[in-house]
PDB file of all heavy atoms in Angstrom:
ATOM      1  N   PHE A 148      -8.028 -10.769 -10.721  1.00  0.00           N
ATOM      2  CA  PHE A 148      -6.695 -11.431 -10.555  1.00  0.00           C
ATOM      3  C   PHE A 148      -5.625 -10.427 -10.199  1.00  0.00           C
ATOM      4  O   PHE A 148      -4.541 -10.869  -9.683  1.00  0.00           O
ATOM      5  CB  PHE A 148      -6.336 -12.191 -11.907  1.00  0.00           C
ATOM      6  CG  PHE A 148      -7.229 -13.144 -12.509  1.00  0.00           C
ATOM      7  CD1 PHE A 148      -7.256 -13.511 -13.744  1.00  0.00           C
ATOM      8  CD2 PHE A 148      -8.239 -13.699 -11.597  1.00  0.00           C
ATOM      9  CE1 PHE A 148      -8.104 -14.389 -14.303  1.00  0.00           C
ATOM     10  CE2 PHE A 148      -9.117 -14.608 -12.090  1.00  0.00           C
ATOM     11  CZ  PHE A 148      -9.070 -14.903 -13.490  1.00  0.00           C
ATOM     12  N   ASP A 192      -7.427 -15.702 -19.797  1.00  0.00           N
ATOM     13  CA  ASP A 192      -8.162 -16.020 -18.641  1.00  0.00           C
ATOM     14  C   ASP A 192      -8.479 -14.763 -17.949  1.00  0.00           C
ATOM     15  O   ASP A 192      -7.631 -13.957 -17.750  1.00  0.00           O
ATOM     16  CB  ASP A 192      -7.393 -16.998 -17.746  1.00  0.00           C
ATOM     17  CG  ASP A 192      -8.229 -17.642 -16.656  1.00  0.00           C
ATOM     18  OD1 ASP A 192      -9.345 -17.098 -16.305  1.00  0.00           O
ATOM     19  OD2 ASP A 192      -7.777 -18.635 -16.104  1.00  0.00           O
ATOM     20  N   ASP A 209     -15.275 -16.099 -13.373  1.00  0.00           N
ATOM     21  CA  ASP A 209     -13.975 -16.528 -13.893  1.00  0.00           C
ATOM     22  C   ASP A 209     -14.168 -17.246 -15.232  1.00  0.00           C
ATOM     23  O   ASP A 209     -14.999 -18.221 -15.237  1.00  0.00           O
ATOM     24  CB  ASP A 209     -13.339 -17.410 -12.857  1.00  0.00           C
ATOM     25  CG  ASP A 209     -11.877 -17.896 -13.124  1.00  0.00           C
ATOM     26  OD1 ASP A 209     -11.306 -17.415 -14.131  1.00  0.00           O
ATOM     27  OD2 ASP A 209     -11.436 -18.661 -12.278  1.00  0.00           O
ATOM     28  N   THR A 210     -13.475 -16.869 -16.284  1.00  0.00           N
ATOM     29  CA  THR A 210     -13.719 -17.513 -17.644  1.00  0.00           C
ATOM     30  C   THR A 210     -12.471 -17.395 -18.487  1.00  0.00           C
ATOM     31  O   THR A 210     -11.726 -16.467 -18.343  1.00  0.00           O
ATOM     32  CB  THR A 210     -14.976 -16.901 -18.334  1.00  0.00           C
ATOM     33  OG1 THR A 210     -15.179 -17.721 -19.614  1.00  0.00           O
ATOM     34  CG2 THR A 210     -14.803 -15.438 -18.690  1.00  0.00           C
ATOM     35  N   ALA A 211     -12.306 -18.399 -19.370  1.00  0.00           N
ATOM     36  CA  ALA A 211     -11.052 -18.423 -20.183  1.00  0.00           C
ATOM     37  C   ALA A 211     -11.413 -19.143 -21.569  1.00  0.00           C
ATOM     38  O   ALA A 211     -12.397 -19.892 -21.653  1.00  0.00           O
ATOM     39  CB  ALA A 211      -9.958 -19.189 -19.493  1.00  0.00           C
ATOM     40  N   GLU A 307     -12.661 -25.891 -15.606  1.00  0.00           N
ATOM     41  CA  GLU A 307     -11.654 -25.437 -16.555  1.00  0.00           C
ATOM     42  C   GLU A 307     -10.624 -26.520 -16.923  1.00  0.00           C
ATOM     43  O   GLU A 307      -9.569 -26.620 -16.452  1.00  0.00           O
ATOM     44  CB  GLU A 307     -10.879 -24.230 -15.927  1.00  0.00           C
ATOM     45  CG  GLU A 307     -10.451 -24.459 -14.467  1.00  0.00           C
ATOM     46  CD  GLU A 307      -9.755 -23.114 -14.013  1.00  0.00           C
ATOM     47  OE1 GLU A 307      -8.864 -22.617 -14.732  1.00  0.00           O
ATOM     48  OE2 GLU A 307      -9.949 -22.732 -12.883  1.00  0.00           O
ATOM     49  N   HIS A 336      -6.829 -24.383 -22.817  1.00  0.00           N
ATOM     50  CA  HIS A 336      -7.512 -24.178 -21.540  1.00  0.00           C
ATOM     51  C   HIS A 336      -8.844 -23.362 -21.818  1.00  0.00           C
ATOM     52  O   HIS A 336      -8.836 -22.356 -22.485  1.00  0.00           O
ATOM     53  CB  HIS A 336      -6.621 -23.278 -20.654  1.00  0.00           C
ATOM     54  CG  HIS A 336      -7.252 -22.884 -19.392  1.00  0.00           C
ATOM     55  ND1 HIS A 336      -6.932 -21.634 -18.832  1.00  0.00           N
ATOM     56  CD2 HIS A 336      -8.141 -23.453 -18.490  1.00  0.00           C
ATOM     57  CE1 HIS A 336      -7.622 -21.469 -17.715  1.00  0.00           C
ATOM     58  NE2 HIS A 336      -8.313 -22.552 -17.453  1.00  0.00           N
ATOM     59  N   GLU A 338     -12.597 -22.246 -19.837  1.00  0.00           N
ATOM     60  CA  GLU A 338     -13.244 -22.122 -18.575  1.00  0.00           C
ATOM     61  C   GLU A 338     -14.534 -21.413 -18.535  1.00  0.00           C
ATOM     62  O   GLU A 338     -14.683 -20.372 -19.210  1.00  0.00           O
ATOM     63  CB  GLU A 338     -12.278 -21.388 -17.498  1.00  0.00           C
ATOM     64  CG  GLU A 338     -12.803 -21.194 -16.149  1.00  0.00           C
ATOM     65  CD  GLU A 338     -11.824 -20.546 -15.201  1.00  0.00           C
ATOM     66  OE1 GLU A 338     -10.928 -19.820 -15.689  1.00  0.00           O
ATOM     67  OE2 GLU A 338     -11.859 -20.826 -13.979  1.00  0.00           O
TER      68      GLU A 338
HETATM   69 CO1   CO B1158      -9.689 -18.440 -14.701  1.00  0.00          CO
END
Side-chain angles (χ1 to χ4, degrees):
F148 305 160
D192 190 340
D209 185 5
T210 185
E307 48 182 315
H336 174 217
E338 177 175 29

